[in-house]
Amino acid sequence: MNHATRTRLRDAAVTLALLPLLALTACGSGDGDGTATAGARAPAAPADDPVAGLRKVDAVAALLPAGVREAGTLRVGSSIGFPPGAYYPNGTDKAPAGQDIDLADAVAKVLGVELERQDASFETILPALGSGKYDVGTGNFGVTTERLKTIDFVTYINDGQGFAVKKGDTKLGGKVTDLTQLCGLTIGTGAGTTFEATLTARRNVCAEAGKKPYDVKVYSENAATLTALQQGRIDVVMSTINGLRYQAAQPAAQTAFLGEFHRLDVGFAFKKGSPLTVAFQAAVDELIRNGTYARILEKWGTTASAIDASKINPPEHR
């Protein structure tokens, strides 16, 4: 990993805790990273370790293809962004933490395999699954009709889409329930996400309502999106429900969560037709059964996103 990539990953991790400071020191007016000052720290990871005591479950591990059982490893394309999903609490030279990290590690323990985790940008992981670069992808990937055409999913939480504004901003007045509320505003969101897809597909709603269209600015890093919000270059952020709720709970972030807009199942991602899905589904169900799943979600404050059972390729929520 080169120095520039490490810098981008580090900045994305520290943004939530020190966003106002980052906004003041960001470089230029483009979409680049904020520049962290000396002594900047990412939010500390909770001390609880629900994964530590897990052991291989032979009946579940037997569902893996023989070649995988023999190799004992799986290659994971992992998007490390911001808490509570996945981030670097102690710098990019140390292990990442987060709900996605704990769940993937827990599944691996139940399956009796080691994970070869490779950091990757969110928008590159799904295409790379098809090429065989990774066996599985993690990054809070929402299950959508479009993605189901080329990707298999094994669900592990129910998250979705939400909105946030700079604290004290009253332009929207409250919860966003219809995209026409965004007409005339500038929305920031992540590249290659369901948020970008939703905003693009429904861009005509303002014209149909006789209103000025909304503008969408797409950022490749969370740090850039949040810095743009603080600097007033965008009016509102569209991102994950859990991520925005967690962010708003950090006093230094100075953002306000505007509530849920659209729920989505979230899952481990695989190339279409992957032989790994049945084993992963059984592993998630085992974690739900033995209580580890509940402990992981409680650790990261995402209990409201719990599911009762894992599913393979469920239809998109409507």
Side-chain angles (χ1 to χ4, degrees), residues 16-227:
L16 288 176
L18 297 160
L19 187 54
L21 189 57
L22 288 174
L24 292 173
T25 57
C27 302
S29 60
D31 296 348
D33 300 328
T35 302
T37 61
R41 293 290 184 272
D48 185 32
D49 188 0
V51 182
L54 288 174
R55 298 291 182 267
K56 177 182 176 182
V57 178
D58 290 337
V60 179
L63 298 173
L64 286 170
V68 174
R69 294 199 307 273
E70 292 168 7
T73 58
L74 287 170
R75 298 162 299 162
V76 181
S78 183
S79 175
I80 310 297
F82 51 94
Y87 74 116
Y88 286 109
N90 302 305
T92 57
D93 59 336
K94 302 293 193 301
Q99 171 191 264
D100 286 0
I101 303 299
D102 280 352
L103 286 170
D105 287 348
V107 165
K109 282 206 169 186
V110 169
L111 294 174
V113 297
E114 296 290 332
L115 298 183
E116 295 179 354
R117 185 173 280 115
Q118 301 176 40
D119 293 355
S121 60
F122 179 91
E123 66 271 23
T124 65
I125 292 176
L126 298 185
L129 292 171
S131 70
K133 183 175 182 178
Y134 310 123
D135 299 307
V136 57
T138 63
N140 209 75
F141 290 109
V143 180
T144 67
T145 301
E146 187 62 28
R147 285 176 175 169
L148 284 169
K149 295 176 183 177
T150 57
I151 298 293
D152 281 342
F153 289 95
V154 172
T155 62
Y156 58 84
I157 61 166
N158 181 257
D159 194 350
Q161 304 172 334
F163 292 94
V165 294
K166 187 175 180 179
K167 193 170 184 179
D169 189 328
T170 58
K171 284 196 228 39
L172 285 165
K175 184 176 180 179
V176 176
T177 58
D178 191 293
L179 291 185
T180 57
Q181 293 172 250
L182 304 175
C183 296
L185 300 180
T186 301
I187 310 156
T189 196
T193 61
T194 62
F195 321 115
E196 180 187 10
T198 295
L199 293 169
T200 300
R202 300 180 63 185
R203 194 184 289 271
N204 63 336
V205 296
C206 294
E208 292 173 354
K211 298 182 178 182
K212 182 180 178 181
Y214 55 70
D215 185 30
V216 179
K217 290 190 180 297
V218 177
Y219 300 87
S220 60
E221 289 128 7
N222 188 59
T225 311
L226 297 179
T227 301

Side-chain angles (χ1 to χ4, degrees), residues 214-246:
Y214 55 70
D215 185 30
V216 179
K217 290 190 180 297
V218 177
Y219 300 87
S220 60
E221 289 128 7
N222 188 59
T225 311
L226 297 179
T227 301
L229 180 68
Q230 290 297 335
Q231 293 182 338
R233 290 183 280 117
I234 59 176
D235 300 298
V236 58
V237 173
M238 187 179 190
S239 189
T240 69
I241 293 168
N242 286 335
L244 293 177
R245 183 181 283 122
Y246 186 100

